[in-house]
Each structure stands twice: as C-alpha cells, then as structure tokens.
Amino acid sequence: MLTAGQILQLIRNGTCRTRKELIEHTGLSRSTITDRVDRLIDAGYIHESGVGASGGGRPPSVLDVDAGRRLMLVADLGAIHARVALTDLAARPLAEESAGLRIDLGPEAVLSWVRECFQRLLDRAGRLPGEVCGIGIDLPGSVDHVSGRVIRSFLMPGWDDFPVGEAVGAGYDVPILVENDANAMALGEWWTSWRGSDALLLVKVSTGIGTGIVLDGQIYRGVEEAAGNIGHVRIRESDDRVCTCGSRGCVASLASGRALAADLGQESSLDVVRLVQTGDPAAIARTQEAGRTLGVVLATAVSLLNPAALVLAGDMAETREHYLTGIREVVYRRSLPYTTRNLEIVTSSLGGRAGIAGMAVIVMEHVLSAAAVDAALRPKPAG
C-alpha cells in the first residue's frame, strides 16, 4: 500500500493530477486516497490548484505541490564570494543577497554572516522562521553531506571537521544539507538546462578548480566524497610552483584563477577577468593557455564519462570564449571523435547563481522525498 509520501511523488511527476486518477493508477480505495491526500493538504505539501477536464458531472480538483506555503534558505560560499537566497518549495527565489566574503576568515565569522543574512531575507519577505522547511549550504571543499562536516579543503583553513550543518542551522528545527560547491553548481545547471541528458560535467574555475558530475539526474560524489577533484591532478612533476595542496605541478597551480592572477601581477581571479574583458593581450594569451592546460585533464574525463555537456563555470567563465577556446581546442584534439560527436562545451547559463539554484534543488528534492514526507507526517511520540 502506497504511503502519503509515495502519493506525493505521483503528483509531483505528473503521473496523477486528481483523486480519481490516483485511485485508477494505484488501485487503492477512495477512502485511502482521500486520507493520503487530505494529510498532504493539511501539512502544506499540496493544494487544489484548479479543476481538470470532466468526463461528466462535477469537474475534478487538480492537485499540485503547494510551493508557496513552505520556504527554503540556501547559501553558496566560494573562496571570496557568498550568495544567500530565500526560495519557495519549487526552488524559485523570493529574495537574494550577495557579497564579497573570504572563506578563510573561518567558520564562525562566515557562518555568522550567513545566519544574519537568512534572517534579513525572511524579514524582507515578511516571512517567519517557522515557515522554513529546509536549509542548504555549499562550500569550496570536500564535505560529508551526511554529517554536514567539512572533510578537507585547501582553500578553507580552520574548517576541517567543523560541524557546518549544526552551526548554520542553529535555531531551525529542519533538515540542514551541506554540499560541495561544484556539485551544487552542476546540479543547478543540469536542472535548468540539461534535464534531458544522462551525464553532465561542470568545471568551476575561480580561485581554485573543482568539478561537479551529474549522472542520471544524481550528483556523483565518489566513495570518499572526493569525485571531481581534478584541480589536484599533477601534470607537470618538475614545475616549481607549489599548489595549495602542497604538491607541485597540479592543474590548479597552473590554470586556476589564483595561478593566473599571480602570473599577471593581480590580486584575484576577478582582476584577471577584468583584464581579459578590457582586451589585455597578455591576460588573454595566459587565459587561453590555462584553458589548454585544463583541457588535457578534461579530455580524459570526457573519454571516461562521455557526457552530453561540459560546462565551464566560476569566475573564469566570465572571460567567455577565451578560457573556453583553450579547453575546446585540447578536448576535441585529444578525445576520440565519437565521444565528442554530440558533446557541447559551453559556459554556465546561470553564472553566479548556479550554486544557489543547485542547493535549492537539493533541499527541495530532500524535503519532498517520499521518506522525508512520511517521516514528517508520522505522529510524534507523546512527551
């Protein structure tokens, strides 16, 4: 017998839109379907949004997810930037705020800012903390998405093993989800533009380099939550430059925004982007070279995964064709023609919002999953 949470999935994916369709599709009795649907309505998961076509008699009420009754809070943290958003339960933004914020200030300072922003967004929208049903935050490092702790990050001193989920969710009795930033961005891009594709590879090039992989609509994290760590693949063993991980010759030490900034005498990857956008010849040449360097590793990734899309995101995506040209040149030259025949190598369609969009989808999918809904509807023990 299907649970209320499983009934919700049939409504969410469009399989059934009315009580009558639910009865016919599941074979459950009218009273059972009425019980399941009424519980979902009372809990704010669905509502009656209109009337369907009538086969004679009174037109049936159409059931749909009640996206406006519950809220989600999400944050996207990079090495030198932060963005937070308040969304509805369909992952649509209601309010957003962004700022320059260095992740190396440490977890207490950064997460305190995130919590203050969350409250400001609720106040701006005229909503209450009690309406929030889930919180999500992504970070530029490997995270244990089950415990909500940072496993390791070379860009985040002081964050290792910090209980991010507990800290950011203080005062909220809701699920707190923690994710790697490139993973969140990859899911955001897939959800927005590539849902018809089985595989997507997103490479974020900003201060560092990270990769997110989406296979069959799911983030692929790897056994140690370290999938996509291509920034620390060593391709020049004799190179003098020391990477943030302590090794020499890593892709990140040669092709990241930080590496380009150092070579061009700039402070950050954003400064490199500004130089490229103003037509600086040295910046353009160095950016294209970095794209070719990264393309060497991405050619292997493309051969392994055979994705439909390779998406360039992060600060260096703002150089548009310049970094992308280097990637394309090497990936197409080093990969077998049939693995790239239908491959699209593009820049992010969401830009700086990719992480926020992805985290909102991650929280939404968790909160509306059959297991989470059934757990929420389960009677609380007395006392």
Side-chain angles (χ1 to χ4, degrees):
M1 184 174 290
L2 297 180
T3 66
Q6 291 168 327
I7 293 296
L8 176 60
Q9 307 315 306
L10 296 175
I11 296 169
R12 288 186 68 203
N13 63 30
T15 301
C16 301
R17 301 178 66 243
T18 66
R19 288 174 173 83
K20 182 174 183 291
E21 290 178 0
L22 285 168
I23 293 169
E24 293 173 349
H25 180 80
T26 65
L28 297 176
S29 68
R30 179 176 299 277
S31 62
T32 299
I33 290 297
T34 297
D35 171 71
R36 303 285 192 270
V37 169
D38 286 349
R39 291 172 66 201
L40 291 170
I41 290 175
D42 292 344
Y45 287 108
I46 62 174
H47 62 169
E48 297 173 326
S49 61
V51 293
S54 173
R58 182 180 177 183
S61 297
V62 174
L63 303 171
D64 199 4
V65 173
D66 190 351
R69 186 164 164 183
R70 292 163 174 255
L71 305 172
M72 303 185 298
L73 288 165
V74 290
D76 167 42
L77 302 181
I80 57 174
H81 85 280
R83 184 185 297 266
V84 295
L86 174 70
T87 81
D88 65 12
L89 201 47
R92 295 179 298 233
L94 303 176
E96 287 192 19
E97 186 172 328
S98 62
L101 183 69
R102 297 189 63 88
I103 199 76
D104 58 12
L105 290 174
E108 289 84 1
V110 171
L111 297 181
S112 176
W113 180 86
V114 170
R115 289 192 300 269
E116 291 169 3
C117 281
F118 281 169
Q119 188 57 56
R120 282 199 299 271
L121 294 181
L122 287 168
D123 293 342
R124 191 183 309 164
R127 307 295 290 265
L128 298 173
E131 297 176 80
V132 175
C133 64
I135 293 174
I137 181 169
D138 70 51
L139 299 156
S142 296
V143 303
D144 183 337
H145 75 283
V146 175
S147 69
R149 291 175 176 265
V150 175
I151 299 173
R152 69 185 69 81
S153 175
F154 305 114
L155 298 175
M156 301 167 60
W159 286 79
D160 285 4
D161 203 38
F162 189 85
V164 176
E166 294 176 22
V168 79
Y172 295 91
D173 185 21
V174 299
I176 315 293
L177 306 181
V178 183
E179 187 55 83
N180 167 264
D181 61 345
N183 285 346
M185 295 170 76
L187 189 64
E189 289 289 337
W190 178 84
W191 183 269
T192 302
S193 304
W194 300 95
R195 262 188 275 181
S197 303
D198 294 334
L200 175 143
L201 182 67
L202 177 139
V203 57
K204 177 190 178 185
V205 186
S206 291
T207 301
I209 297 176
T211 304
I213 304 166
V214 176
L215 301 176
D216 295 326
Q218 302 294 319
I219 294 171
Y220 178 74
R221 299 184 176 87
V223 176
E224 301 295 340
E225 305 266 0
N229 236 327
I230 65 171
H232 300 289
V233 173
R234 299 170 67 181
I235 59 174
R236 294 184 189 173
E237 297 281 347
S238 61
D239 197 275
D240 292 335
R241 280 170 287 196
V242 178
C243 183
T244 53
C245 70
S247 297
R248 298 179 186 274
C250 292
V251 177
S253 70
L254 304 168
S256 67
R258 171 180 280 176
L260 269 65
D263 290 348
L264 295 167
Q266 301 298 313
E267 290 293 324
S268 71
S269 54
L270 294 174
D271 297 321
V272 175
V273 171
R274 282 189 282 270
L275 284 178
V276 172
Q277 290 176 342
T278 57
D280 182 272
I284 290 174
R286 182 67 184 87
T287 295
Q288 291 177 345
E289 179 191 358
R292 288 190 289 271
T293 299
L294 179 56
V296 172
V297 179
L298 290 178
T300 300
V302 165
S303 297
L304 283 171
L305 297 174
N306 188 208
L310 170 55
V311 181
L312 173 64
D315 294 340
M316 299 313 297
E318 297 304 315
T319 65
R320 298 304 170 191
E321 291 301 310
H322 294 298
Y323 201 106
L324 203 63
T325 294
I327 291 176
R328 282 182 176 143
E329 176 187 326
V330 175
V331 168
Y332 286 125
R333 187 175 73 240
R334 287 177 172 250
S335 304
L336 288 170
Y338 76 91
T339 64
T340 57
R341 183 171 51 207
N342 295 307
L343 172 66
E344 294 194 48
I345 303 178
V346 298
T347 55
S348 165
S349 64
L350 295 172
R353 295 200 68 261
I356 280 290
M359 279 313 306
V361 171
I362 289 169
V363 177
M364 174 186 70
E365 290 294 292
H366 176 85
V367 169
L368 292 179
S369 68
V373 170
D374 288 334
L377 294 178
R378 198 170 294 130
K380 301 296 187 292

